[in-house]
Every structure is written in structure tokens, then in C-alpha cells.
């Protein structure tokens, strides 16, 4: 194992392969001993997949709880047993013109309000077609065998929801400018024509998002969608929605719930993840690009220091590094409890940048340890009671929480 193969590699996972397949490919490509990833993407989903190699896998517990941002292409008037395009589809209800007019006339206020109602803490039903394990088996295994299973729930947080756009048989301008009767007639005529053709209009549907990724060989995501190739029936209304959520949230379940609240039905046709914590899709490379960079010896990971930038930093000297990797504690006394200035709080605060002691303790005491600009690991700042009356104030102790390096490395 070589030092330069440690790190986080941001991959744009395309539609089709599983997250596990992408991890295995990167592990083989860079000949890594260990590999892991953040945030599983279903095969039908695409976007940002951070892959951690070798010692960097030890950092996963400290970054996996970051918020995630997704962009979903959702269909109203369409239902699916798996809540996405891969399941058995139906459009029995559809979206009548009356319902369409009610939801989208003006500025689509009712749709926007329904989305805003998700913001906050939610109790979400876990989809049957998911990898959540119950009694040792994944839920989708029960669903495929048509075995009844008690509903499972989890608590999630939705931080932000935004409606980027929508499209139907008539445009927002036509809906705004035409008299009600003319708009209804046009809506129904186009709907009948497209249902007869068994296809959806291909022009003008969701222009490709501009990701500034021209040199990374990434596909155009949320490009004009050839919906007929995905779904067995045409849909009535398409929504382009952006969700920012906590770890473990199921976007297709949120889309399904939106359809229930709007009384139209809804399912997810396409799903793109654009952000996890501080990691952005714009930093990612496609699988093909990573292959080319590896062949040229230019496959450079995202720096661990950048990944953990939100944490306070403890700068180790050579002596403290040796102490930490051997599992020993470093103790710092308040100034009036010890005469030696190197044990004063001022000394500690000089070594811990970007925060003071009280804020570190309030944040749970986690720090990033650096030596020569390389991340050593995660440390915890603990407060212990003084051992003697002469030391009436607390004693600050730094101890190893999770180390990247070991004594063999130094």
C-alpha cells in the first residue's frame, strides 16, 4: 500500500451500475487494500459517489452524517410499486385539467407549498423496495417474493426543497394567457395525441443542467428525457425538484408522498445527487475519466484536510505525534494551575486553530490532528476534574478518537 493511494476519490456514478460495483472498480484501478463509500445510490440513480481508499476509510464515520442534495425528475399522474421508474407502473388516475389548473395556474403556489411542508423533521415510511434489513434480509427481498412485512419507519430531516421547473401538455405562458375553456381544450387535445402516439414530447423538456464539467466526460444529467423508453405510459406533468436532506432520506418516498398530498400520484423517473456535505458534483470525475487519469499516474484524491475543513485543527509536533499514535494522552492545564507556560490554555489555543476551547467543547470536542499538513486522525478534547485542590480548574485532555497513522508509519 502506497501513501498516495490514500484519500477520497469523487466519482460521478452513471445510471446502471451499483454503488458497490463502482467501489470495486476504483479499488482495482488504484490497487487499494481497503475501500468504502458514502451514501449508496440505487442503480437507476446517478451523481456524486465519494469513494474512500485505504486509511481514508477510517474517516467515513466523521463525514457520513453530512446533508445531501438531490435533483429529482418526478412525474405526476403516474404511480409505481417501487416508487420509481423501475417498478410496475400505472397511470389510472392521471391529472385532469381541473386538477392541473388548480395546481399550476399562477405560480404553482399549491405545489410549492406542498413541497415546503416537507421542510423540518419527518417520520418517513421506508420503501418496500429498499436495502434496509429486517430480520437479516433486505426489504426488497421480501417485496420480490410478495411476503407481507410490517411497515418500517425512520426519522429524517428535510432542510430545503425547491421547485426548479415543471412541464406538461401546455406551457405556463399558455396556461396564463389563454381563457380557461381554450386552455382546457388544448390540454386535452395534446394529451390525447400523445397517448395515441405512446410517447412524450422530446423537445424542450428540462434543458440539461450546466455542471461546468466539460473536461470530465460526464453525461448530460437531467437532459431532455426520452420518457417513452423508460415508462410504459406517458405522464401528464413533470417536476424538476431539488431536495436537501439528512442522511438516510429516501427521495423517491418524498416524491411519492408529494403525489399523495396533491391527490395525483407521483413517482421518480430520474435521480441525481449533487452534494454530500462539503463535497460537490463539480469536483467529481466519471469512471472513464478516472481510468484515464490512473493510466497516466494523475489520479489525485481530494485532500483529507479539505474534506474535514469544518472541524477545528490541532497541529501536532513530532513529540505529540509519537504520543498520539502510541495511544497516550496529552494533558493541558489552565494557566493558574501550572507554572509551566507550555501547559497553559494560551499554549493550547495557539496549537488548536480556528476555534477556542469553549467552542470546541460545545461542539463535542472533536478535532482534526495534522502533522506537516497531513491528516493524522480525529482527536477528542475531554475535560477532567482536577486531581488536587491546587489545581482547582478543569484539566484538558486530548486523546485519540480515530487515527489514520500508526506507530509503524513514523
Amino acid at each position: 500500500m502506497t501513501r498516495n493511494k490514500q484519500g477520497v476519490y469523487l466519482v460521478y456514478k452513471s445510471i446502471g451500475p451499483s454503488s458497490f460495483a463502482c467501489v470495486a472498480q476504483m479499488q482495482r484501478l488504484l490497487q487499494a487494500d481497503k475501500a468504502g463509500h458514502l451514501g449508496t445510490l440505487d442503480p437507476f440513480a446517478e451523481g456524486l459517489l465519494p469513494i474512500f481508499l485505504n486509511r481514508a476509510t477510517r474517516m467515513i464515520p466523521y463525514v457520513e452524517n453530512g446533508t445531501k442534495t438531490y435533483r429529482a425528475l418526478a412525474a405526476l399522474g403516474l404511480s409505481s410499486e417501487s416508487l420509481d421508474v423501475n417498478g410496475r407502473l400505472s397511470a389510472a388516475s392521471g391529472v385532469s385539467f381541473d386538477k392541473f389548473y388548480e395546481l399550476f395556474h399562477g405560480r404553482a403556489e399549491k405545489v410549492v407549498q406542498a413541497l415546503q411542508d416537507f421542510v423540518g423533521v419527518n417520520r418517513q415510511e421506508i420503501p418496500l423496495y429498499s436495502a434496509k434489513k429486517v430480520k437479516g434480509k433486505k426489504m426488497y427481498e421480501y417485496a420480490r417474493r410478495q411476503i407481507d412485512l410490517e411497515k418500517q419507519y425512520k426519522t429524517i430531516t428535510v432542510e430545503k426543497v425547491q421547485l426548479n421547473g415543471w412541464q406538461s401538455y401546455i406551457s405556463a405562458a399558455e396556461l396564463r394567457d389563454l381563457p380557461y375553456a381554450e386552455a382546457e381544450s388544448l390540454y386535452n387535445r395534446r394529451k390525447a395525441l400523445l397517448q395515441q402516439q405512446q410517447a412524450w414530447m422530446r423537445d424542450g423538456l428540462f434543458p440539461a443542467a450546466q455542471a461546468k464539467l466539460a473536461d470530465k466526460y460526464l453525461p448530460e444529467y437531467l437532459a431532455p428525457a426520452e420518457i417513452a423508453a423508460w415508462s410504459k405510459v406517458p405522464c401528464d406533468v413533470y417536476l424538476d425538484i431539488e431536495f436537501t436532506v439528512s442522511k438516510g432520506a429516501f427521495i423517491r418516498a418524498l416524491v411519492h408522498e408529494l403525489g399523495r398530498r396533491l391527490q395525483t400520484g407521483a413517482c421518480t423517473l430520474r435521480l441525481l445527487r449533487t452534494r454530500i456535505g462539503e463535497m460537490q458534483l463539480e469536483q467529481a470525475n466519471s469512471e472513464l475519466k478516472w481510468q484515464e487519469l490512473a493510466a497516466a499516474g494523475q489520479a489525485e484524491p481530494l485532500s483529507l484536510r479539505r474534506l474535514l475543513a469544518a472541524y477545528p485543527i490541532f497541529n501536532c509536533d513530532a513529540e505529540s505525534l509519537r504520543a498520539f499514535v502510541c495511544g497516550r494522552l496529552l494533558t493541558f492545564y489552565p494557566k493558574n494551575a501550572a507554572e509551566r507556560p507550555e501547559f497553559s490554555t494560551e499554549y493550547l489555543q495557539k496549537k488548536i486553530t480556528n476555534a477556542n476551547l469553549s467552542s470546541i467543547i460545545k461542539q463535542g470536542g472533536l478535532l482534526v490532528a495534522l502533522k506537516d499538513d497531513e491528516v493524522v486522525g480525529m482527536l477528542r478534547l475531554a475535560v477532567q476534574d482536577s486531581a488536587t485542590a491546587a489545581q482547582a480548574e478543569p484539566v484538558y485532555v486530548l486523546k485519540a478518537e480515530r487515527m489514520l497513522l500508526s506507530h509503524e508509519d513514523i
Side-chain angles (χ1 to χ4, degrees), residues 157-175:
T157 300
V158 178
E159 290 196 356
K160 182 180 178 182
V161 187
Q162 179 175 312
L163 179 64
N164 292 332
W166 61 269
Q167 186 168 346
S168 185
Y169 304 111
I170 61 178
S171 67
E174 290 170 326
L175 186 63

Side-chain angles (χ1 to χ4, degrees), residues 45-95:
E46 59 186 312
L48 180 63
L49 183 69
I51 296 178
F52 293 66
L53 298 184
N54 293 330
R55 288 196 302 260
T57 57
R58 302 180 186 182
M59 292 293 100
I60 291 177
Y62 302 100
V63 293
E64 66 181 355
N65 292 323
T67 58
K68 300 175 176 65
T69 299
Y70 296 85
R71 195 171 173 190
L73 181 61
L76 296 187
L78 185 66
S79 298
S80 164
E81 63 177 2
S82 66
L83 313 187
D84 60 51
V85 73
N86 291 320
R88 187 161 54 241
L89 301 171
S90 66
S93 59
V95 181

Side-chain angles (χ1 to χ4, degrees), residues 62-255:
Y62 302 100
V63 293
E64 66 181 355
N65 292 323
T67 58
K68 300 175 176 65
T69 299
Y70 296 85
R71 195 171 173 190
L73 181 61
L76 296 187
L78 185 66
S79 298
S80 164
E81 63 177 2
S82 66
L83 313 187
D84 60 51
V85 73
N86 291 320
R88 187 161 54 241
L89 301 171
S90 66
S93 59
V95 181
S96 67
F97 179 77
D98 287 344
K99 172 59 75 171
F100 172 72
Y101 188 89
E102 173 193 340
L103 295 178
F104 293 96
H105 183 67
R107 299 181 179 273
E109 286 91 350
K110 288 198 173 183
V111 178
V112 171
Q113 183 58 55
L115 289 171
Q116 291 307 308
D117 288 343
F118 284 117
V119 175
V121 178
N122 294 263
R123 186 168 181 258
Q124 185 178 67
E125 181 182 343
I126 300 175
L128 281 176
Y129 286 85
S130 72
K132 169 72 174 177
K133 285 190 176 182
V134 176
K135 297 180 180 179
K137 292 184 179 180
K138 296 176 180 177
M139 289 180 65
Y140 65 73
E141 295 177 314
Y142 293 98
R144 288 172 179 173
R145 296 176 185 177
Q146 297 184 335
I147 298 175
D148 290 336
L149 191 65
E150 184 179 351
K151 291 183 178 181
Q152 305 291 313
Y153 295 89
K154 69 184 308 180
T155 300
I156 65 165
T157 300
V158 178
E159 290 196 356
K160 182 180 178 182
V161 187
Q162 179 175 312
L163 179 64
N164 292 332
W166 61 269
Q167 186 168 346
S168 185
Y169 304 111
I170 61 178
S171 67
E174 290 170 326
L175 186 63
R176 181 187 65 242
D177 297 338
L178 292 176
Y180 182 93
E182 289 185 31
E184 181 181 23
S185 176
L186 183 60
Y187 180 92
N188 290 328
R189 284 203 314 272
R190 288 179 178 170
K191 180 175 181 176
L193 177 62
L194 290 169
Q195 287 179 335
Q196 181 181 2
Q197 294 174 348
Q198 290 292 298
W200 179 257
M201 64 184 77
R202 297 184 180 184
D203 296 328
L205 178 61
F206 293 110
Q210 301 300 312
K212 300 179 182 177
L213 296 167
D215 63 335
K216 300 189 178 183
Y217 308 146
L218 301 186
E220 288 185 326
Y221 55 85
L222 294 187
E226 298 183 9
I227 303 298
W230 298 343
S231 57
K232 303 174 181 63
V233 291
C235 320
D236 293 333
V237 185
Y238 295 89
L239 305 179
D240 182 1
I241 312 170
E242 192 169 277
F243 294 91
T244 298
V245 296
S246 62
K247 173 189 174 184
F250 289 95
I251 302 302
R252 51 199 168 98
L254 290 173
V255 170

Side-chain angles (χ1 to χ4, degrees), residues 295-371:
Q298 299 174 347
E300 295 296 329
L302 182 72
S303 74
L304 292 180
R305 179 170 186 169
R306 183 174 179 181
L307 176 68
L308 299 167
Y311 285 96
I313 295 171
F314 176 80
N315 294 301
C316 295
D317 54 24
E319 182 180 354
S320 59
L321 173 62
R322 283 192 294 271
F324 279 128
V325 298
C326 291
R328 296 198 298 270
L329 305 180
L330 285 185
T331 304
F332 299 88
Y333 299 93
K335 187 174 182 179
N336 62 352
E339 295 180 358
R340 296 172 59 185
E342 61 266 32
F343 291 129
S344 68
T345 51
E346 287 84 350
Y347 175 75
L348 178 58
Q349 289 174 342
K350 287 178 181 177
K351 299 191 73 174
I352 300 177
T353 60
N354 302 335
N356 58 41
L357 288 178
S358 60
S359 66
I360 295 170
I361 295 169
K362 185 181 293 185
Q363 292 167 15
L366 283 179
L367 310 138
V368 178
L370 295 179
K371 176 65 171 67

